[in-house]
């Protein structure tokens, strides 16, 4: 069967010689952190804590064996608190040759927080990963994929190469760094305050390619109680991978070990990896390598549209469109 091609025309990219599309298998090792951040009193729930600890204790070793058997490297987004709680697990990930990336400290809620608070989460997470595993991550994924307008500048300040939290593309692109956290829409097109020469790579994600939406359920915490069949999920993700392959874009799968590391789900995940690897010209690699390639070969830098709505009713809204500028490749 021929898969129709619908390229991401906003973010053109070419891949290394011999490849026509890219894929990355990523894992958010949230463990207990995401439930604690959502509700600190969840630590009193022994069964809930055991559900979350299944990720680092049982699932990560299983997933590492799958990746080793399939001879691919993955990217593991790890909150600092998880690293401090399970240092041996993180070191095992590193020893397996996989990429370790930043995922907050305690998987903190990010919506609407100020730049100072977010900076403290970033720094504490960096300190934890450095102390536990001796790594300085170049990649970041915001908890709950909730990036703030000031986040790119904070990441650039700390030398991050890429982010993977936005949902506005099928292929990676270079993202402009705003000059602070205000995002003033009153600045004109030619105002130098609205230009920052720095940029970071954005590798977009998609809720359809997140196991949370398919499998996650815990009473009183998340989910509808409908846990999908791994056979159905395998079919859906295979179709997504085939479409990305056909259009030459980037298939990014997000898995949580405490979910997709469970037995039948892990079996389906390995079957998916085999299918993706078998696609002609599919580059299966880490997010870091995808970001490095994007930074080295893409000269368009994208800003994002901004919408501002006044606090009083009936005043309408202002729209500041996205822009694209070009830069010379180094």
């Amino acid at each position: 069967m021929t898969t129709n091609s619908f390229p991401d025309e906003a973010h053109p990219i070419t891949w290394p010689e011999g490849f026509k599309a890219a894929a990355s298998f990523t894992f958010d090792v949230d463990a207990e952190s995401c439930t604690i951040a959502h509700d600190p009193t969840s630590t009193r729930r022994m069964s809930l804590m055991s559900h979350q600890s299944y990720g680092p204790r049982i699932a990560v070793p299983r997933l590492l064996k799958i990746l080793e058997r399939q001879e691919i490297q993955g990217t593991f987004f790890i909150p600092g608190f998880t690293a401090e709680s399970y240092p041996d697990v993180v070191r095992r990930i590193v020893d397996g040759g996989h990429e370790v990336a930043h995922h907050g400290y305690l998987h903190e809620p990010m919506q609407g927080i100020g730049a100072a608070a977010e900076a403290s989460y970033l720094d504490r997470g960096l300190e934890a990963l450095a102390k536990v595993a001796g790594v300085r991550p170049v990649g970041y994924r915001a908890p709950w994929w909730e990036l703030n307008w000031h986040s790119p500048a904070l990441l650039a300040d700390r030398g991050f190469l890429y982010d993977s939290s936005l949902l506005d593309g099928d292929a990676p692109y270079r993202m402009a760094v705003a000059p602070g956290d205000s995002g003033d829409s009153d600045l004109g097109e030619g105002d130098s305050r609205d230009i920052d020469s720095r940029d970071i790579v954005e590798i977009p994600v998609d809720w359809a390619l997140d196991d949370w939406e398919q499998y996650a359920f815990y009473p009183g915490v998340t989910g509808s109680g409908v846990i999908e069949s791994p056979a159905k999920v395998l079919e859906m993700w295979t179709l997504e991978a085939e479409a990305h392959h056909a259009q030459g874009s980037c298939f990014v799968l997000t898995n949580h070990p405490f979910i997709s590391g469970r037995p039948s789900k892990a079996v389906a995940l390995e079957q998916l990896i085999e299918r993706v690897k078998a696609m002609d010209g599919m580059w299966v690699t880490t997010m870091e390598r995808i970001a490095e390639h994007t930074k080295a070969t893409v000269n368009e830098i994208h800003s994002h549209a901004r919408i501002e709505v006044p606090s009083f009713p009936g005043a309408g809204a202002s729209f500041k469109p996205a822009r694209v500028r070009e830069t010379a490749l180094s």
Side-chain angles (χ1 to χ4, degrees):
M1 184 181 80
T2 301
T3 302
N4 290 331
S5 174
F6 303 97
D8 179 351
E9 296 181 356
H11 308 117
I13 191 169
T14 57
W15 299 105
E17 185 176 355
F19 297 108
K20 60 184 181 182
S24 191
F25 291 88
T26 74
F27 304 88
D28 292 2
V29 193
D30 297 344
E32 296 93 340
S33 66
C34 60
T35 54
I36 296 172
H38 178 71
D39 178 9
T41 67
S42 65
T43 57
R44 304 171 188 171
R45 303 175 63 180
M46 184 177 182
S47 293
L48 173 57
M49 292 296 98
S50 73
H51 180 266
Q52 299 305 116
S53 70
Y54 183 95
R57 293 182 59 252
I58 308 300
V60 169
R62 177 178 292 148
L63 293 168
L64 289 175
K65 289 179 181 178
I66 289 174
L67 296 176
E68 181 180 14
R69 187 160 54 239
Q70 293 299 322
E71 299 182 316
I72 68 169
Q73 292 176 316
T75 296
F76 289 76
F77 292 90
I78 305 177
F81 181 76
T82 298
E84 292 174 345
S85 301
Y86 300 96
D88 291 343
V89 173
V90 178
R91 285 191 282 266
R92 186 170 174 178
I93 292 169
V94 173
D95 291 345
H98 305 286
E99 178 190 1
V100 168
H102 197 300
H103 196 41
Y105 176 74
L106 192 62
H107 206 278
E108 297 86 358
M110 305 300 289
Q111 186 173 353
I113 67 169
E118 185 169 346
S120 71
Y121 301 156
L122 287 170
D123 292 338
R124 192 170 182 185
L126 287 169
E127 291 168 6
L129 293 172
K131 182 178 180 180
V132 167
V135 298
R136 176 80 183 191
V138 299
Y140 175 72
R141 175 173 285 165
W144 286 289
W145 292 346
E146 195 67 51
L147 213 63
N148 295 298
W149 292 106
H150 54 250
S151 301
L154 295 176
L155 296 174
D157 289 343
R158 286 154 180 80
F160 281 91
L161 170 65
Y162 75 87
D163 168 72
S164 183
S165 309
L166 300 181
L167 302 98
D168 60 344
D170 300 324
Y173 60 90
R174 293 173 66 176
M175 172 171 62
V177 172
D181 64 358
S182 64
D184 293 329
S185 61
D186 293 335
L187 298 178
E189 289 289 325
D191 195 313
S192 62
R193 292 177 298 163
D194 200 32
I195 298 174
D196 189 313
S197 61
R198 300 175 301 168
D199 66 275
I200 61 174
V201 172
E202 178 61 33
I203 307 178
V205 287
D206 179 5
W207 281 113
L209 292 173
D210 189 314
D211 63 354
W212 191 274
E213 296 307 298
Q214 305 303 318
Y215 299 133
F217 174 69
Y218 200 92
V221 177
T222 188
S224 65
V226 178
I227 300 175
E228 297 288 357
S229 163
K232 176 255 187 182
V233 177
L234 174 60
E235 178 187 28
M236 183 180 72
W237 287 346
T238 299
L239 290 171
E240 291 285 347
E242 289 173 346
H244 279 281
H245 175 258
Q247 68 185 31
S249 55
C250 187
F251 173 84
V252 177
L253 186 68
T254 300
N255 288 291
H256 299 78
F258 68 87
I259 299 175
S260 283
R262 301 269 175 179
S264 66
K265 302 173 184 67
V267 169
L269 176 60
E270 183 162 21
Q271 291 173 350
L272 176 69
I273 292 173
E274 291 173 342
R275 293 180 182 185
V276 173
K277 285 176 55 183
M279 295 177 184
D280 181 49
M282 180 68 96
W283 184 30
V284 182
T285 187
T286 63
M287 300 282 270
E288 179 178 4
R289 294 195 186 103
I290 291 171
E292 289 174 340
H293 174 76
T294 303
K295 187 80 169 182
T297 61
V298 173
N299 69 346
E300 291 185 347
I301 299 177
H302 295 254
S303 68
H304 291 83
R306 301 287 291 270
I307 300 172
E308 293 192 6
V309 180
S311 57
F312 55 92
S318 63
F319 181 81
K320 179 180 179 181
R323 296 197 303 269
V324 179
R325 62 181 172 89
E326 293 190 359
T327 186
L329 297 174
S330 58

